[in-house]
Amino acid sequence: MNVRHSILLLALLVPAAWPQTGRHPKPAAPREFAVMAWGSSPADPDQLRGMREAGLNISGFCRAQDLEQVRAAGLTCFVRDPVIQRVDPLHLPSDDQMRIDVAELSKRIAGNPAALGFYLRDEPDAPMMPGLGKLATTLHEAMPDKWPYVNLFPYRVSPKTLGTSDYDAYVRTLVKIVGQPFLSYDNYSLVNGEMLDYFYVNLEIIRRLSIETATPFWNCVLANAHFNYMEPSDATFNLQAYSTMAYGGRGIQYFTYFAPEIGNYRLAAIDQFGNRTATWDMLRRINNQIHALAPTLMRLRSTGVYHYPDVPEQAQPLTQGLLVEAVEMTQRYVRPPVAGRFLVGEFEDQERRPYFMIVNKDLKNSFQFKVRLKQEGRKLIRVSPYSGNEEPFGREMDWLAPGAGILFRVAPL
């Protein structure tokens, strides 16, 4: 067969074998699974439409006067109001003055569905939390359907910066005092080609407190390069998002969608000139997968997370899990072969049917894998990260890209 005939044959065969549909999963509602750009929301309609196209459902922190543009783009946002921002949590104005200011704000935004809530503070220290709680209560009284937004420090900051040595108590105040219906924190741990264990330790802490307080959590992850953090890649987005989902997270926030015009910030989805970078396509790819999986994930309850072979601080080894006995991870054409590193997040749905998500913790290497379950007479059903549909596990599904994950349901044979 000559080259021309080979090309023609390939053109005929590929569409039948691997149809390309150009599918875009239906976006999850932001109150059910948040996919958010951390930072100021733009007013420009084209940029807002681009954010929606990239798979975001929360555009960030917007001005009240930009709510109509946000709504027209099919997005939501947290309003950052200058009057509210001027409030010092350590020296609050009188109750009457706060009610007057909030009532004026309510007139402008209460009826707009694009206003998800109000930005109050990023990384407050512990002494600020009572004042933020009082402000959040005043806002809630005027607009009960709007959420407060406070994002917490990561656990590894110093007690002096945090204002307390008790990180657990600090996190709990977000629920008990501020009344926020979700936990939000940030952790950037991508350095020198590796994910530091700090990332998983923070997930362990937040997951535990999320379960104890019956409050879902959102993770703010790295989406640009700055300082000495790694440059974005499909692998870095995969690992941050899939690890968060494996731990039961209900929101991913990206720091940042727009590149700040300071320091060595670079390779955000939109650069300092307002242009899309290669990161924008990476962001859209992982967000489409999140939206495809979200309808299933929202029906699941996290029952445990387990690591192999190395176990981060506060985490559990794979031997403690209920579903997976072992995972064999191999490579092709690699000398010497690299040993696999992974985590397994276990779940169950309302019918007590078991699920698990396996995540490849290696940012450089792909692996072929075999799963051995603890209970015999069971099979694996894959939840497609492209359609969200269940499908039999087989063919070439037994490969994990760097940082990537796969969600399975465990079913009887």
Side-chain angles (χ1 to χ4, degrees):
M1 183 181 293
N2 61 34
V3 174
R4 181 169 178 268
H5 287 163
S6 298
I7 293 172
L8 288 173
L9 180 60
L10 183 63
L12 290 172
L13 290 177
V14 169
W18 298 286
Q20 301 298 310
T21 62
R23 77 168 57 91
H24 295 280
K26 180 181 178 181
R31 291 177 183 266
E32 295 179 342
F33 202 109
V35 186
M36 173 176 163
W38 200 100
S40 296
S41 173
D44 179 65
D46 289 337
Q47 287 288 8
L48 287 165
R49 284 191 293 269
M51 298 178 89
R52 175 71 172 186
E53 188 181 347
L56 300 168
N57 54 25
I58 305 174
S59 65
F61 312 125
C62 62
R63 302 180 303 173
Q65 59 264 40
D66 296 331
L67 278 170
E68 275 308 302
Q69 291 95 310
V70 173
R71 183 195 60 77
L75 296 166
T76 60
C77 61
F78 288 97
V79 175
R80 181 154 52 187
D81 180 73
V83 174
I84 300 301
Q85 291 304 296
R86 284 196 293 270
V87 173
D88 181 353
L90 299 178
H91 303 91
L92 294 175
S94 68
D95 290 352
D96 287 344
Q97 185 60 54
M98 281 202 298
R99 290 192 186 98
I100 291 170
D101 292 339
V102 168
E104 180 60 32
L105 181 60
S106 178
K107 292 177 184 178
R108 291 187 285 146
I109 72 167
N112 197 314
L116 193 60
F118 306 96
Y119 171 91
L120 297 185
R121 189 66 56 126
D122 179 49
E123 296 184 336
D125 58 26
M128 291 183 180
M129 299 301 270
L132 291 172
K134 187 67 176 293
L135 179 57
T137 297
T138 305
L139 287 162
H140 180 74
E141 289 171 351
M143 293 165 279
D145 63 328
K146 306 301 183 189
W147 289 352
Y149 179 93
V150 174
N151 182 62
L152 301 175
F153 277 115
Y155 86 99
R156 68 179 186 268
V157 300
S158 70
K160 181 179 180 181
T161 299
L162 194 62
T164 177
S165 60
D166 190 342
Y167 187 74
D168 279 22
Y170 171 69
V171 175
R172 289 179 186 277
T173 59
L174 197 57
V175 179
K176 292 183 176 180
I177 296 178
V178 179
Q180 190 161 299
F182 59 95
L183 301 175
S184 176
Y185 76 104
D186 55 68
N187 188 297
Y188 314 135
S189 298
L190 289 162
V191 180
N192 197 29
E194 292 289 338
M195 177 67 83
L196 303 180
D197 275 356
Y198 294 129
F199 184 75
Y200 304 111
V201 177
N202 221 145
L203 278 167
E204 288 286 336
I205 295 169
I206 296 296
R207 173 186 175 272
R208 172 173 52 80
L209 295 173
S210 170
I211 292 171
E212 291 176 7
T213 62
T215 308
F217 74 87
W218 300 3
N219 192 0
C220 186
V221 302
L222 194 62
N224 63 51
H226 65 283
F227 305 159
N228 64 322
Y229 294 123
M230 289 175 60
E231 294 185 352
S233 68
D234 283 309
T236 64
F237 279 117
N238 283 342
L239 185 55
Q240 293 179 107
Y242 272 103
S243 294
T244 300
M245 291 188 285
Y247 269 84
R250 290 294 180 267
I252 299 288
Q253 306 168 82
Y254 296 109
F255 180 85
T256 55
Y257 181 83
F258 296 97
E261 297 182 14
I262 56 174
N264 68 338
Y265 282 89
R266 62 200 186 278
L267 294 178
I270 304 297
D271 67 18
Q272 288 89 342
F273 299 97
N275 300 315
R276 294 179 182 180
T277 70
T279 304
W280 188 90
D281 289 302
M282 299 174 197
L283 192 71
R284 179 170 58 173
R285 276 192 289 273
I286 190 61
N287 285 344
N288 278 335
Q289 293 175 57
I290 291 169
H291 289 303
L293 295 172
T296 299
L297 292 171
M298 289 184 297
R299 297 188 286 104
L300 304 182
R301 179 179 70 88
S302 175
T303 57
V305 184
Y306 311 97
H307 290 252
Y308 181 89
D310 301 318
V311 182
E313 179 187 343
Q314 302 193 34
Q316 299 295 316
L318 184 64
T319 53
Q320 299 299 308
L322 300 177
L323 301 177
V324 177
E325 178 69 29
V327 179
E328 178 186 351
M329 303 185 81
T330 58
Q331 294 180 305
R332 295 183 183 179
Y333 318 122
V334 177
R335 295 292 183 270
V338 177
R341 297 174 293 142
F342 60 90
L343 66 85
V344 172
E346 295 186 352
F347 306 88
E348 65 179 15
D349 65 13
Q350 293 180 342
E351 300 172 16
R352 305 296 297 275
R353 296 186 302 176
Y355 290 73
F356 71 89
M357 178 178 282
I358 181 171
V359 181
N360 176 11
K361 292 168 63 175
D362 196 307
L363 286 166
K364 303 182 185 74
N365 294 281
S366 292
F367 292 95
Q368 190 173 25
F369 66 94
K370 293 181 181 178
V371 176
R372 187 167 77 248
L373 298 173
K374 289 192 171 182
Q375 188 174 1
E376 296 182 357
R378 299 279 173 168
K379 64 180 179 180
L380 299 180
I381 304 294
R382 174 182 182 252
V383 181
S384 170
Y386 310 115
S387 68
N389 297 329
E390 290 191 347
E391 55 192 19
F393 178 58
R395 303 191 304 279
E396 296 178 358
M397 299 177 184
D398 58 344
W399 279 88
L400 274 169
I406 300 179
L407 179 63
F408 292 105
R409 180 168 67 85
V410 180
L413 285 174

